[in-house]
Amino acid sequence: MLIARIILGVLALLILGTTLPAYLDTSANPGLAALTGEAATLGSVAGLFLGRQLTIALIAVYGAIRGSREPMLIGAFGLVFFNLHDAFFLTLAGTSVVGAVAGLVLAVAAGVVMLLTLRKAA
């Protein structure tokens, strides 16, 4: 279970590393760099995106620190969902192949955390 906690913690730190700097400058986040005008403000699209991302990352941090089954599964599921979501839409839009691949890799890693956690709990 320690390996799953470490993976989840690293994933959460990666997400926080792209989220927190974007609160000062939304273009610092790769997913928000293309936004301009009102959409790039914290009171609009960028703020909604960052709020979602921060919430999921904090849940994953809690799961990694706590180390119990449900918080780890919820945190890992959140990371799987939003990274697959981002990978899908980046691919669909054709805007960032690197971002889509990164989202897929992070989603797979979070899926591994889910499998390890479920396996340990069984």
Side-chain angles (χ1 to χ4, degrees):
M1 190 76 131
L2 180 61
I3 301 237
R5 289 175 74 179
I6 290 169
I7 294 170
L8 186 59
V10 168
L11 291 172
L13 289 176
L14 286 171
I15 301 304
L16 287 173
T18 61
T19 303
L20 295 177
Y23 275 97
L24 300 175
D25 176 16
T26 57
S27 67
N29 186 292
L32 302 175
L35 295 178
T36 59
E38 175 66 24
T41 67
L42 292 178
S44 187
V45 174
L48 292 171
F49 179 88
L50 291 173
R52 169 196 73 149
Q53 203 164 298
L54 181 61
T55 300
I56 292 170
L58 291 176
I59 292 168
V61 166
Y62 176 77
I65 291 170
R66 180 85 173 153
S68 55
R69 182 176 185 248
E70 287 79 14
M72 287 192 58
L73 287 173
I74 293 168
F77 175 80
L79 292 176
V80 167
F81 181 81
F82 103 74
N83 280 295
L84 280 179
H85 171 272
D86 289 353
F88 174 77
F89 283 107
L90 286 172
T91 301
L92 193 65
T95 56
S96 175
V97 173
V98 173
V101 171
L104 185 60
V105 168
L106 293 175
V108 168
V112 167
V113 170
M114 289 179 69
L115 291 174
L116 291 173
T117 302
L118 287 171
R119 186 172 154 208
K120 177 68 177 170

